Each structure stands twice: as structure tokens, then as C-alpha cells.
Amino acid sequence: MIRALLFTLFLGFPLSVQAQKDTSSERLAQVYTQSMPGTQANQRPKIGLVLSGGGAKGAAHVGVLQVLEQHRIPVDYIAGTSIGAYVGGMYALGYSATELEAIMLGIDWSQGYSDTIAREALTFRDKQKRDQYNIPIDIGYSEGELKTPSGLLRGQTMSQLLRKSTDLVQQFGHFDELAIPYRAVATDLETSHAVILNNGSIVSAMQASATVPAALQPAQIDGKLLVDGGIANNIPIDVVKGMGADIIIAVDIGSPLVNKDKLNSALAVLDQLSTMLTNASSDRQKLLLTEHDILIRPQIDDLSTTDFSIMPIAFPLGVEAANLHLTRLKDFSLSESEYQAYLQQKQAKSLAWLRQIDRPIVDVVLNNDSKVGESLIRESLDIKPGQVVDTQLLDAAINQLYALDKFERVDAEFVDTQKGRILEVTTKAKSWGPNYFEVGFSWEDDFTLDSAVTLDVAYTLTDLTKTGGEWRSELKMGFEKVLATEFYQPLDLDQLFFVKARYQFEIDNWDYFDEDNNLVFELDKETHSVELGLGVNYTRQGMIEFGVIAEEGAISNDAILATDVDFKSKGAYFRFGFDSLNSINFPTDGRRITIDTYLIKEDFHDFVGYEPEYTWLIEANWKGALSLGNHAFVGKASYATLEKDKLATTHVSELGGFLNLSGYHKDSLAGNHKAFGAFIYQYDLGRSVLGMTDYPLYLGGSIEAGNVWIDRDDIAFNDLIYAGSLYLGTDTDLGPAALGIGASDDGERTFYLFIGKNF
């Protein structure tokens, strides 16, 4: 009776319950059209679907869509905000609810919340820089002020996830061209007004609508800075009505306000304020609903908006909520033949752009908003006219270009023409550049009075020349002390060849320990050095460099030396490097090889009768890793030698510390010759047992052997020191950390705690 009464009030004439049951969906459509201005008789009402924002709870939207499809309920217009813009956009492109479910549940959405470039993708030089400056900060300086990004994340990875799921569609002149006319809603950061996105890149529209302020950098479209549409219009009912919908089906998955007992932190308060703004916009929109519209509210209040692991839980809640409104929803069901005609019409529109995907590209157009040379961009992208570009190829190309670490964002869109597809690639310079601060930190403690703490700070000026010249000034404090400045100049636009000039002032402490591993005395060495080098980046992961070097300094110890020992040296060097490790500390794949060779002559002019002459110094290091499931096997080896060890030298090799002859103090052994090798086993305890997904937790152990010698004649296999370790370690965006115990066969024992780089 209540339902009959509603029809009576709404339609203006009585309708019995029995009559209502006997009325077909076609008859109801006629009744509705007779009472709605703007529609013609004998036409069904146009149905508009409105999908709200709600983060990970967006899987509930797909559940609602599944119910609509099961009961042959058409959707003529669709608009969404945030995750609703994504689901709505995908559905508007022509994906079914079943396909959408598979896509959404198959994507690792957590990847979209990290824009960190994988170490193995970086160039050899950038790997060295990241290893040294392991604290990921984005701080620049220019025009007299410090600059930071406008969001914690740049949105690079998220845009790639969205592009993959849409399957490389073209840019649209208008979103009415889609299988279902579509709109995405964002918020103008400058005015706080809602912005309706109805043309261009559907990926950009989706991402702009879901750009959480401060977490993600604002999207820039048509000169506007856009953020999450939930602030201005979280349930865009007015938008769908404006598109021409007669009936609104709105799905609300917004978050409720929390009780005061949960408002116990600054983040909780900020989240509550954000929810207030979002709910206020939703409440205003709900006032636009009429009695013949349907508002669906799944029971998702207890679910997280940011934990995408809850998607499989949210999906059936959408189905359940839609089924609660099934009686009314069925009023809009089409007959089988009508629904098939509707689907065929959608498919015909989808095919209009789906056919374009397999066409070869005829041109690659660069929109380069940076000082990086076009030649280097094209070489890194490595996509040529005539190729058919699929998602895998485009993703690899964008990753390779972004891995140059010179851009804030790299985006790609397609424009379809009669001649073929045009790929438009947009590269945007880092907004906090072109001059940057970098910070590195390490702390190794063996629970004695001698902790090894090092802080690295650098300031780099980039884009100084047409080919990408850089000038970096460095300061290292703590266990090691270095003040240096280096100018690095690529010689060609592809940055294949380079020259560099470096000045460095270093204070080094040589600690000498007795047989009981107690510190006996310490020598202080101060060195000024200058290097001039010429090199080639023979591959992205490797370089070769030749050069000359000159040094001048002094060795002192007030207790055992009456005066400082001054020295000078000069010579040439050769360096070779190759590095494909995915982590410098806890690798599971790749290898790293470095060889440093010097031909130098050292002059200790205070030594009476000392005759300086040229001698060779060689130091080589290797590290390799492979993994099988959660098991990783790592090998490492190092070798150093001095050709004429009867000569005095300041170039000594050091050994000791965690995984470098565990059980000994860091760098407590020093000599002219060194040999060391280790086998390390790591088990990913975090992912396999504890269910950790963000970062690994390794349970590891090592077997090590090595020693150092002053004279070549002293080198003997039976003089090797054997050691081992057990540890728990993790590798995070903030650097590695580990807690372990090490021991050697000569009785050395120590606990280790290290945070930051250890290589």
C-alpha cells in the first residue's frame, strides 16, 4: 500500500497494488515519460548512474553494476567522483561488470602509492648516487627559495596503472563518444569549485578526479590545478541530471564521521575534517533526488578507504545493497530483445575506438617541458613509427624514460587519425628543481664505544649546459669526513660520453687493533685530491672511465709521530663498473662489478733515502644475487693488491664489519693486500610467513672468509679468517636496517645494528 501511495502521489492518479504488479516495465516507462518534461511518449526513461568516491570501497560499485546487468537494466549516462570516476569511466568505455571485477581485483593498487624508480632501472651513475644518498627527500632550491613537490607522490605509477586498465584508448573529442556518455568530477584547487571533465584523456580525467590533496600532486588540465572531486561534489547527481537523465541511480560509498574516541591524533582530525567536507557536498546532492530516483548505500562503513585488500569484501556488499532495491530497479528492466539491442549499440560505439588499438603508430610527438634533450628522450623511449604499441611495450618504454630520474611525470596518450595512431609523450621537469638537496645516513653499531655513524649531504645544480651538465658539492660527516665538489659534463645529447673534474678533501682515521680486537692507536690522514676524467656510459648499467689524479696530504698522530708525515702522489686511473642489482644491501637479483686500477707514484719526501716510483694498485669487487621464490642466494667477493708493497703507501685496503668479516669492528683490518669472499642466504620471512606486502623481512645467514696482509709474501690460504653471521633485515624506501650477530673462528664475537647504507 505504501508503494501504491507513492505512485499515487507522484503520478497524480490512483494505482492499485494489484495493478502495479501487473504492469510491465514497458508500461511503467510510458507512465514515467508522460509525467516527465523533456521526454516523449513511448520512450523509456533515460537512466543515469552516479558513482561516489570512497577509495578501496569502490569495488562495491562493480557489485551494483553486476546486479544491473543481471536484470537487464540499462545505463544511459554515467558520472563519478574519485574511484567512482574510475569505475564509471571503465564502464563507459564498454567493459562489463565481470570484466571490471577481474581488472580491479587483478591490479596491485598499492603500486600506485609509490613513485620510487626501481634501482635496477637507474643508470650506473644514478645507482651510485641513490646508494650514497639513501634518504628519499625531494627538496630543491631556486629563485632564492626552498621548493618541495605539491604532493607526497607524483602520480606517475598510478597513471600507468590506469592506462593499463583502459587498454591504451585514444583521446576523445568528447566523452559523449564513449559507449555510455561519461563525466568525471574534480575540484579546482584555486576556487574550490567542481570541474566537470568531459573530453580529452579519460586516464587524465580519472586520475584528476581521484587526486587526494597533499598525497598526490594536483593534476593540471586546461590551466587548472585539479584535486579529488569529493571535496566539491562527491555524488554528482546534478551532473547526470544535466546530461539528460530522467531516472537517477546513485551509489554512495562515502565514509561516515567517526566517534570522538577515535579522534586521538592529528591525522585522525584531518581525516575527520576531510570527511566533513565530502559529506557536506554529498548531502547537498542528495537533496536533488526525487521519489522516483534510487539511492543505494552499501554497508561499507567499517571498511578502509586506503586498504585495497578489502576490495573482495566490498564487491559482494555492493551486490547485497543493490538487491535490497531490486523491486524498484526491476521497474526499469528491459525485455531480452531490447537489452540485446542496447548492448549492441554500446558495442558498436566501443568498436569505433577499439579498432584503433592494433593500428601501427605513424608518429611519436614529444611535448617536452624540460631541458632534457629530445635525442635522449627518444633514445630512452625507443618506440619508432611503424610499431604496434601494446600496453606492455608502452609501459616498458615509459618506465625506461622515467628512470632517467629527470622528470616529475612522463605521460603518454594516443591520437587516432586516418593515417594511423600518433603517440604523444609528455615529459614534465621536476617542479622543485633544477637544483636539489640530497641526504644520506648510515649507522653501524657493534655495541662498543665505537659506533660508525655517517651523514651525507649534497647540493646539485643540474641542466647547466645543453647536454645536461651537473655540478655537485658534497659534505660527509661522522665516521668518514669528506668535503668535495664535482663537475660532470656529458659530451653529447645522448649523454654517452662524458668528462668530469673533481676536488676532494678527506679526513680518514686508521684504527689499529691488537689480537684481542682492542684499539691500540689511531692515525689521522688528511688528503687533498684532484681528478680529471673522460668516460663512456657504454650501457645504461655500466661505465668505463680513464683519468689522471693528484694527491697531497699528511699523516699524523701526536702520540707516536714527532711530526706530521707529508706525502704527494700523482698518476692515472682506469675504472670499470657494471651494476644491475635490485638492491645494494639485500639484493635478490642482478650483479655488480667494479674494478679500480691506479698507476701512481707516491712521494714521502720526509723519509730519508726514500725513492718514489710508479706502482700499480688494483681493487676489484663483485656481488651477485639470484632468487627462487622466497629464497635468495647472494655471493660477494673483493680483491686488492699493491704491485710493489715495499713502497710506502697511503692507499690501503680495509676489512671488517657486518657481512665484511662479521665479528670484527668496521674497517678494523688494513693492509696492502686483501682477499675476501662470502656466501649469503636470505629467506623472505615477511612475505611468506607474516603476510607483509610493503617491505620484505629477511632472515639471513652468511659464511665468510678473508684477510688483509701488509706484504705479498705473507699471503697464505691457511691465514684466512673464517666468519659468519645471522641476522634479520629489511629494505625500505628509507634505506635498509638489520639486527644481527657475527662471529669469527679466531674468537671475535659481536652484535650488529645498522640503519642506512652498508656497502
Side-chain angles (χ1 to χ4, degrees), residues 233-435:
N233 192 348
N234 197 46
I235 310 179
I237 294 167
D238 60 340
V239 174
V240 176
K241 282 182 174 287
M243 295 170 73
D246 303 313
I247 303 293
I248 300 295
I249 300 174
V251 186
D252 177 16
I253 59 168
S255 299
L257 295 173
V258 300
N259 297 328
K260 64 180 180 180
D261 59 332
K262 295 183 179 180
L263 300 174
N264 50 14
S265 68
L267 288 176
V269 172
L270 289 174
D271 189 55
Q272 183 86 330
L273 291 173
S274 175
T275 303
M276 287 178 182
L277 291 173
T278 302
N279 289 354
S281 74
S282 297
D283 292 341
R284 289 192 298 270
Q285 288 295 309
K286 290 176 185 178
L287 294 175
L288 301 177
L289 294 173
T290 63
E291 292 177 315
H292 59 276
D293 298 325
I294 300 173
L295 176 64
I296 300 174
R297 171 72 184 179
Q299 297 299 312
I300 40 71
D301 289 357
D302 295 332
L303 299 183
S304 169
T305 59
T306 57
D307 181 5
F308 285 89
S309 66
I310 59 95
M311 279 189 164
I313 301 173
F315 174 79
L317 294 178
V319 173
E320 180 182 317
N323 282 330
L324 292 176
H325 296 269
L326 195 54
T327 302
R328 291 195 62 199
L329 288 171
K330 283 184 176 180
D331 290 342
F332 311 113
S333 296
L334 300 182
S335 66
E336 185 63 37
S337 60
E338 288 175 323
Y339 192 68
Q340 288 303 315
Y342 161 80
L343 293 178
Q344 289 173 7
Q345 186 180 30
K346 281 179 55 179
Q347 186 179 24
K349 288 185 177 181
S350 295
L351 287 174
W353 54 262
L354 278 172
R355 292 193 193 98
Q356 311 295 329
I357 291 177
D358 295 330
R359 299 173 70 193
I361 61 170
V362 295
D363 196 10
V364 178
V365 177
L366 300 183
N367 301 315
N368 184 22
D369 181 22
S370 74
K371 292 186 178 180
V372 180
E374 182 176 312
S375 175
L376 180 59
I377 292 175
R378 290 188 181 276
E379 180 188 7
S380 300
L381 193 68
D382 196 25
I383 292 179
K384 306 291 191 303
Q387 288 181 276
V388 175
V389 178
D390 58 16
T391 55
Q392 186 176 0
L393 175 61
L394 183 61
D395 197 45
I398 290 176
N399 283 338
Q400 185 161 276
L401 181 55
Y402 186 64
L404 291 175
D405 202 19
K406 299 178 183 296
F407 307 109
E408 181 174 307
R409 283 282 296 273
V410 176
D411 290 308
E413 299 289 348
F414 290 94
V415 177
D416 289 317
T417 67
Q418 292 183 347
K419 294 182 179 180
R421 308 202 89 187
I422 296 174
L423 176 62
E424 290 187 351
V425 178
T426 301
T427 48
K428 185 179 185 300
K430 296 178 180 178
S431 57
W432 59 97
N435 307 322

Side-chain angles (χ1 to χ4, degrees), residues 189-247:
L189 188 58
E190 184 179 16
T191 66
S192 79
H193 296 156
V195 176
I196 302 171
L197 301 171
N198 59 13
N199 66 86
S201 165
I202 192 168
V203 170
S204 297
M206 290 173 177
Q207 187 164 12
S209 181
T211 298
V212 180
L216 291 165
Q217 291 188 209
Q220 296 189 35
I221 298 179
D222 297 333
K224 295 185 174 83
L225 291 178
L226 303 181
V227 294
D228 196 297
I231 299 171
N233 192 348
N234 197 46
I235 310 179
I237 294 167
D238 60 340
V239 174
V240 176
K241 282 182 174 287
M243 295 170 73
D246 303 313
I247 303 293

Side-chain angles (χ1 to χ4, degrees), residues 109 111-113 115 155-163 207:
W109 292 97
Q111 292 183 0
Y113 290 90
D115 288 324
Q156 175 68 27
T157 309
M158 184 60 75
S159 69
Q160 289 181 250
L161 289 178
L162 296 177
R163 189 179 297 109
Q207 187 164 12

Side-chain angles (χ1 to χ4, degrees), residues 75-94:
V75 175
D76 301 292
Y77 306 102
I78 192 165
T81 298
S82 196
I83 191 67
Y86 171 76
V87 175
M90 294 290 287
Y91 200 64
L93 285 169

